[in-house]
Amino acid sequence: MLAIGCDHGGLELKNEVIKHLEERGVEYKDFGTFTPDSVDYPDYALKVCHSVTSGESERGILICGTGLGMSMAANKVKGIRAAVCHDTFSAEFTRRHNDANVLCMGGRVIGPGLACKVVDAYLDSEFEGGRHQRRIDKVMAIEDED
Ligand code: RB5
């Protein structure tokens, strides 16, 4: 399963991405927000990230105005590796090399056509392991520092 969430700045793009997920037949859970009313992005980042860290979802997608606030909040959650991607190369390689488990995008940055290609690159790319696992282990060890 894929967890997806947004704030008001990402609502329109989230709805486009969801249409695309449905066309692809991807199983997803939408954690909101569901209206254009102003909300706080960390609340939605937490819902999606907890779905990933609990094992309910394999990966997540978070969309705010820029993707930046969502990624900052998401990367505070233990076990989350969130990446802001607005191009397909980054989306592919953040899976292959960083094993990113959350993709962040900005609804005020990228259009729906490219965003759906970014989602495809993210979903269709697999982690390569090997030397990249060693580096990720070092990144994740930072979570345990004082
Ligand atoms: C909301 O106006 C905006 O700050 C938010 O969507 C996001 O871009 C934050 O990083």
Side-chain angles (χ1 to χ4, degrees), residues 12-83:
E12 252 181 70
L13 183 58
K14 185 189 73 177
N15 290 336
E16 294 293 331
V17 167
I18 283 176
K19 266 192 245 165
H20 182 66
L21 294 176
E22 286 175 354
E23 279 164 17
R24 277 189 54 142
V26 175
E27 195 194 348
Y28 68 91
K29 184 166 173 183
D30 185 358
F31 286 88
T33 187
F34 300 104
T35 74
D37 299 335
S38 181
V39 293
D40 298 335
Y41 59 82
D43 299 336
Y44 297 87
L46 269 187
K47 289 174 201 272
V48 165
C49 290
H50 286 157
S51 176
V52 173
T53 54
S54 72
E56 178 188 45
S57 299
E58 194 188 339
R59 294 184 210 166
I61 296 179
L62 285 167
I63 307 175
C64 60
T66 58
L68 299 172
M70 284 295 198
S71 71
M72 288 180 189
N75 278 315
K76 296 282 183 196
V77 178
K78 263 196 170 200
I80 293 296
R81 290 175 302 281

Side-chain angles (χ1 to χ4, degrees), residues 49-118:
C49 290
H50 286 157
S51 176
V52 173
T53 54
S54 72
E56 178 188 45
S57 299
E58 194 188 339
R59 294 184 210 166
I61 296 179
L62 285 167
I63 307 175
C64 60
T66 58
L68 299 172
M70 284 295 198
S71 71
M72 288 180 189
N75 278 315
K76 296 282 183 196
V77 178
K78 263 196 170 200
I80 293 296
R81 290 175 302 281
V84 184
C85 299
H86 292 126
D87 67 275
T88 57
F89 183 86
S90 301
E92 177 184 339
F93 277 85
T94 203
R95 286 289 313 132
R96 289 175 58 177
H97 288 189
N98 313 129
D99 198 16
N101 49 14
V102 173
L103 168 69
C104 301
M105 294 186 292
R108 296 171 183 156
V109 179
I110 190 172
L114 179 55
C116 291
K117 295 278 184 206
V118 168

